[in-house]
Amino acid sequence: MSKVDVFRALHRRREPGDPLVLPGPWDAVSARVFVKAGFPALATPSAGIASSLGYEDGATPADEMFAAVARISRAVDVPVSADVEGGYGLAPKELVERLLEAGAVGCNLEDSSGGVLKDPHEHAEWLAEVRYAAGDRLFVNARVDTFEYGDGNPERAIERAALYVAAGADCIYPIGAPADVLPLLRSGIQGPINVYGTLDGGGPTPTELGELGATRVTFGPGLLRWAALALEGMSGELRKRM
């Protein structure tokens, strides 16, 4: 079975309360740590990679992003999905080729640009072109930014999701959706739903998100930030020993 087939299979028949948890590595070392811990697949965060490379979120040059994804993919044997933001202005065929060259089996694609929502019909047409170029070689996670940059209306999110599913998206990612609207989104969206998880203890656990309707849970740059806090503590201890 190919890695993309393995990745697709991980999304199927998930029991409530048992979502697919995908840590977000920012380099080869973090990827290997997550795999050693037993996670069956990974999902790179664009913001996390940007931070690790010294860029602001959204400012990473395409070549550097694809190179980072390639290093992560080479470092592990499990499937790796890549957050490639809005596609960096690449034509669908080139975008797909570069993802496959980097070793990715899936991708995150946003439906906003510069904090402004894209026209959903035009975006759906673009997603359909990506789907056509990729065939069954990539698992497409279509991000819906209604809760980030729109009016936060769940019905608008469901409408966008329906267009993207019809265009061939494998999964829908309503980033920023409040936990209490997840059951409504679950009832109105066909197929898997990706939900953003938190690590500060103030939000629902992955198990709780799964019970609310999440098929899979990702953390964006959260794990990198968590690691940075741990490093701060180690740095402070090091200073004490000097």
Side-chain angles (χ1 to χ4, degrees), residues 25-51:
W26 54 94
D27 60 12
V29 172
S30 58
R32 287 172 175 152
V33 167
F34 296 141
V35 171
K36 186 176 181 181
F39 292 98
L42 307 173
T44 68
S46 61
I49 288 178
S51 182

Side-chain angles (χ1 to χ4, degrees), residues 4-26:
V4 67
D5 289 335
V6 170
F7 193 60
R8 282 203 175 89
L10 288 170
H11 291 77
R12 299 186 187 122
R13 295 183 292 277
R14 306 299 308 191
E15 294 293 330
D18 182 32
L20 174 62
V21 176
L22 298 174
W26 54 94

